[in-house]
Amino acid sequence: MSHQDPTIERYGFTAVPRDPDVLFKDHPTASGPHPRQDPFELADFPIPETPLAKAVHEFVQKELDPPTVAHSHRVFFFGLALVRTHFPTWRLDAETYYLTSLLHDLGLAARFLSSTKLSFEFRGAIVARDAVLQLGGDGDVADAACEAIVRHQDVFVKGGNITTLGQVLQLATILDNVGTLTSLLHPSFISAVTTAYPRKGWGEHFARAIETELALKPWCHSTTFEVPGWREGMPSRFAGLVRGNEAMRAYE
Ligand code: ZN
């Protein structure tokens, strides 16, 4: 695979640092006490209406509950806004990011979460890859989504790289779930996104999903968020962080 391969940039495979501390160090718009906040509107990020995008949307509406579908849409808008303001040179394909956003929590669907010993994001990434291929996406798009979904909770790795698609997915999901980096977006945009795709108690919903997975699979990848030496039956730090999301409290 040559670095001249145009699909590398188009589908968000361009390598960037994994650690946000590295990514945002001396950053022209994101570092310092007053990061740039652009007053976008939803209409600045039209939802792709390609046959693949529509098919994936239909698929997740059958598989996921409404709060998770709404969260997935917030992740789409927050991610694209972060890119447009703070990473304007990243040429992320909107369709690829849209279907990755929609599919990223597929593994939380009850029939996937409890029917496998795989951690939810790994199972979800595998099912998502198959779904994209079956619904007409090409192999690079399916791989891009799968790679990003596998790694979307890999947020404690300090070294190494990740795809731009994976980085945006990590930043946007953590922003919605835990409330970090909200200072990189304009409050009016956060308000517009959460009005169009309401949280309706998403924090509690997601915290319970984490606790369910920890109980079913005390080996799962989500335990990387827990205290060292965490064992089955101990309270979840991750669920506590999600329930303690002060930045999104007003929208719950
Ligand atoms: Zn999520």
Side-chain angles (χ1 to χ4, degrees), residues 68 71-72 75 101 104-105 108 120 152 169 173 177 202 206:
T68 310
H71 159 67
S72 302
V75 163
S101 303
H104 84 278
D105 277 337
L108 290 180
F120 91 83
H152 90 270
L169 184 63
T173 52
N177 287 336
W202 168 248
F206 184 52

Side-chain angles (χ1 to χ4, degrees), residues 222-233:
S222 291
T223 56
T224 59
F225 288 81
E226 303 305 332
V227 293
W230 181 89
R231 290 184 317 279
E232 196 175 354

